[in-house]
Amino acid sequence: MADTVWPSCAKSLKGVILDMCGVLYDSGEGDGVAIPGSIEAVRKLKASDLKLRFCTNESQASRDKFVAKLQRLGFDISVEEVFSPAPAAVAVLKQRGLRPHLLVYDALLPEFDSVNKSDPNCVVIGDAAEKFSYQNMNKAFRVLIGLEKPVLFSLGKGKYYKEMDGLKLDVGVYMKALEYACDVEAEVIGKPAASFFQCVLNDMVLQSHEVMMIGDDLVNDVGGAQQCGMKGVQVRTGKYRPSDQNHPTVVADGTVDDLAQAVDMILSGRC
Ligand SMILES: *[C@@H]1O[C@H](CO)[C@@H](O)[C@H](O)[C@H]1NC(C)=O
Ligand SMILES: *[C@@H]1O[C@H](CO)[C@@H](O)[C@H](O)[C@H]1NC(C)=O
Ligand SMILES: [Mg+2]
């Protein structure tokens, strides 16, 4: 039985951010499966006076579809509580007065409904899958190269991922192609970028030291949150590996078996 390590963060905790895949559920065939105890843990957090948000790297499905899946699994969760790279990109675009040319998966387009897309002055690419045709890549290239100062945003930068029928090229490959063609460096939006976590904190109207992030990915969830001044706790579910505990640069503030245990620790006032 591995040790439980828990941060002593006084009585200042006012909010919790949960990673989704590997903390709430494990992906697999169909909707995947809920991790034992996590549905109840979310219910308990919601019944407490802590603010709760969820944060994922998902960039193919719109939040509507993604949240519907979690609801089918039994989670009490709504779209407004979920942060994924697309809405974070929307916030950045609005903040900086940028109008994007979009090269994203069709199912993701509704996320950008509220953004002015005429006369684009930047490019946003996501995991567009079969939409990454020569024509579409070239269109994105032409927009970028035509700008006085090209601005490229990438929703994640994965190299490849696995689906039922085999490995698939991910958005990072196409991001690199556009970087190379235009001599730009893309701004990556998603965990572990500080701007991504900051969006969530802004929405919670909380300071980073008042919030704890719980995730299964030591570098992107725990390390990313710590960079922002939050406490980062790792669960031993999802992609957790025992070797995470000897990581050269990231040391979790806490390590627990699963979300259920983390929530019990939080609510019993041990934090
Ligand atoms: C969208 O941007 C264009 C180009 O800057 C501008 O002319 C237009 O007024 C904007 N539309 C809205 C609804 O803000
Ligand atoms: C999320 O996306 C970021 C940015 O591309 C990447 O560095 C990270 O590995 C991803 N994290 C997870 C948990 O998939
Ligand atoms: Mg995860």
Side-chain angles (χ1 to χ4, degrees):
M1 190 65 204
D3 288 345
T4 296
V5 178
W6 194 249
S8 57
C9 38
K11 300 254 176 280
S12 61
L13 193 70
K14 294 191 175 140
V16 176
I17 302 175
L18 301 181
D19 171 43
M20 303 181 79
C21 188
V23 174
L24 302 181
Y25 72 102
D26 281 317
S27 60
E29 285 188 43
D31 290 336
V33 289
I35 291 172
S38 61
I39 294 172
E40 182 59 19
V42 168
R43 198 174 299 141
K44 285 185 191 167
L45 278 177
K46 287 215 161 166
S48 76
D49 54 6
L50 293 164
K51 288 188 181 175
L52 177 63
R53 296 291 186 277
F54 302 88
C55 174
T56 174
N57 258 20
E58 173 67 49
S59 89
Q60 263 208 6
S62 66
R63 278 173 303 166
D64 294 0
K65 292 257 166 59
F66 185 59
V67 165
K69 174 175 94 170
L70 282 142
Q71 288 170 343
R72 284 195 297 276
L73 288 174
F75 289 97
D76 173 10
I77 184 170
S78 64
V79 170
E80 302 71 46
E81 298 163 326
V82 175
F83 284 76
S84 59
V90 169
V92 171
L93 294 167
K94 289 183 174 173
Q95 213 167 29
R96 289 164 50 180
L98 291 168
R99 302 179 303 275
H101 169 79
L102 298 173
L103 179 45
V104 300
Y105 205 62
D106 282 338
L108 199 68
L109 285 170
E111 296 275 15
F112 293 88
D113 277 349
S114 67
V115 177
N116 188 346
K117 293 176 275 294
S118 65
D119 190 18
N121 55 7
C122 72
V123 169
V124 175
I125 62 169
D127 174 17
E130 50 294 325
K131 268 184 80 184
F132 278 133
S133 62
Y134 176 80
Q135 260 184 344
N136 286 338
M137 280 295 284
N138 207 48
K139 204 181 287 175
F141 160 70
R142 284 182 179 178
V143 171
L144 268 182
I145 202 84
L147 297 171
E148 198 177 325
K149 189 180 174 302
V151 179
L152 172 63
F153 294 98
S154 188
L155 307 180
K157 60 169 178 186
K159 293 176 179 164
Y160 53 83
Y161 55 88
K162 194 174 178 187
E163 280 192 345
M164 300 299 274
D165 58 343
L167 296 175
K168 304 264 169 100
L169 288 175
D170 199 354
V171 62
V173 175
Y174 300 90
M175 175 192 97
K176 290 286 181 190
L178 292 173
E179 284 185 339
Y180 181 60
C182 302
D183 281 316
V184 288
E185 193 175 331
E187 299 180 40
V188 177
I189 298 187
K191 292 181 280 187
S195 56
F196 185 62
F197 286 112
Q198 197 55 53
C199 274
V200 188
L201 290 172
N202 291 349
D203 186 66
M204 297 172 100
V205 201
L206 292 178
Q207 305 283 312
S208 60
H209 67 267
E210 299 171 318
V211 178
M212 176 188 289
M213 169 82 202
I214 300 173
D216 62 322
D217 186 316
L218 184 70
V219 172
N220 295 298
D221 295 328
V222 173
Q226 288 173 335
Q227 290 281 315
C228 278
M230 290 184 252
K231 292 277 190 239
V233 166
Q234 189 181 23
V235 286
R236 290 192 197 91
T237 52
K239 66 173 76 160
Y240 165 85
R241 285 156 182 268
S243 62
D244 287 346
Q245 266 155 325
N246 310 314
H247 194 275
T249 55
V250 183
V251 179
D253 294 296
T255 310
V256 291
D257 287 339
D258 51 22
L259 180 62
Q261 190 184 14
V263 170
D264 285 343
M265 301 286 278
I266 290 170
L267 297 179
S268 63
R270 268 173 278 186
C271 175

